[in-house]
């Protein structure tokens, strides 16, 4: 019984302390530099003496491009797509086997869910009627080339959005484009 009385007194004291706590005032900060940020906002005015106009960083120079990125030369217009039609693949033809293997892997990840593993427009989402109107690569009205395929991956077309952000680099997009042309060739035999 004595233990029950001690436990109840401790419980009452804990409840009393918890009830008196003010949730709007913070606790003590033993190391305030870990709780409060000291970094500068990137483009906000800060008097740091490093850059003009008190900014913490400067915008890139007009006309520069990021390291490892090459801009795509064709615009996102129907005329740009027609110009891309004549654009050949820059991949080395001696590595065609490796490119096809990698292209098949990437196609299975990003494209087959809609376009189907054979390119016949019967992917999993089409079969479940989540997406309608995905044509087959064998459709004679689809006069696709490796250049227009790359253009479509880069910018998107109709209800298909751009997939350029999913790929690590331009080489992977060209590998998938070449694999799509192989699928088209297999379907039209």
């Amino acid at each position: 019984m004595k233990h029950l009385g001690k436990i109840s007194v401790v419980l009452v004291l804990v409840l009393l302390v918890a009830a008196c706590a003010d949730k709007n005032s913070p606790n003590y900060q033993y190391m305030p530099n870990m709780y409060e940020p000291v970094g500068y906002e990137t483009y906000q005015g800060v008097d740091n003496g490093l850059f003009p106009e008190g900014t913490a960083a400067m915008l890139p120079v007009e006309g520069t491009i990021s390291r490892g990125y090459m801009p795509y030369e064709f615009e996102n217009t129907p005329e740009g797509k027609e110009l891309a039609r004549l654009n050949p693949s820059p991949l080395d033809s001696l590595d065609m086997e490796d490119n096809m293997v990698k292209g098949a892997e990437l196609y299975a990840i990003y494209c087959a869910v809609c376009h189907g593993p054979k390119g016949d427009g019967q992917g999993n989402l089409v079969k479940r009627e989540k997406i309608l109107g995905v044509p087959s690569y064998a459709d004679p009205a689809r006069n696709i080339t490796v250049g227009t395929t790359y253009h479509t991956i880069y910018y998107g077309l109709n209800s298909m959005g751009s997939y350029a952000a999913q790929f690590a680099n331009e080489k992977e997009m060209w590998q998938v484009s070449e694999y799509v042309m192989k699928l088209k060739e297999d379907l039209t035999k």
Side-chain angles (χ1 to χ4, degrees), residues 81-185:
K81 185 174 180 188
E82 286 305 314
L83 290 172
R85 181 174 303 284
L86 303 174
N87 194 17
S89 173
L91 299 180
D92 189 4
S93 60
L94 297 176
D95 295 334
M96 185 63 72
E97 242 177 71
D98 295 336
N99 289 335
M100 285 298 162
V101 169
K102 185 67 174 174
E105 290 173 9
L106 294 169
Y107 182 89
I109 294 169
Y110 298 116
C111 310
V113 70
C114 296
H115 292 277
K118 297 177 186 174
D120 56 358
Q122 295 300 309
N124 198 11
L125 292 179
V126 173
K127 289 179 182 175
R128 293 182 182 182
E129 297 180 357
K130 303 293 183 188
I131 297 175
L132 301 175
V134 177
S136 171
Y137 295 140
D139 186 5
R142 291 182 54 106
N143 185 16
I144 60 174
T145 65
V146 70
T148 57
T149 304
Y150 182 87
H151 189 274
T152 303
I153 292 171
Y154 195 87
Y155 288 119
L157 182 66
N158 298 334
S159 62
M160 177 183 149
S162 172
Y163 273 75
Q166 276 75 15
F167 295 102
N169 52 34
E170 289 85 13
K171 182 179 179 182
E172 288 186 350
M173 290 192 286
W174 281 113
Q175 288 170 333
V176 170
S177 300
E178 287 186 356
Y179 184 72
V180 166
M181 296 312 298
K182 179 186 177 296
L183 290 177
K184 179 181 178 169
E185 183 182 308

Side-chain angles (χ1 to χ4, degrees), residues 20-29:
C20 295
D22 185 11
K23 294 180 181 178
N24 294 328
S25 66
N27 293 333
Y28 292 107
Q29 295 180 355

Side-chain angles (χ1 to χ4, degrees), residues 13 31 144:
L13 287 174
M31 295 181 189
I144 60 174

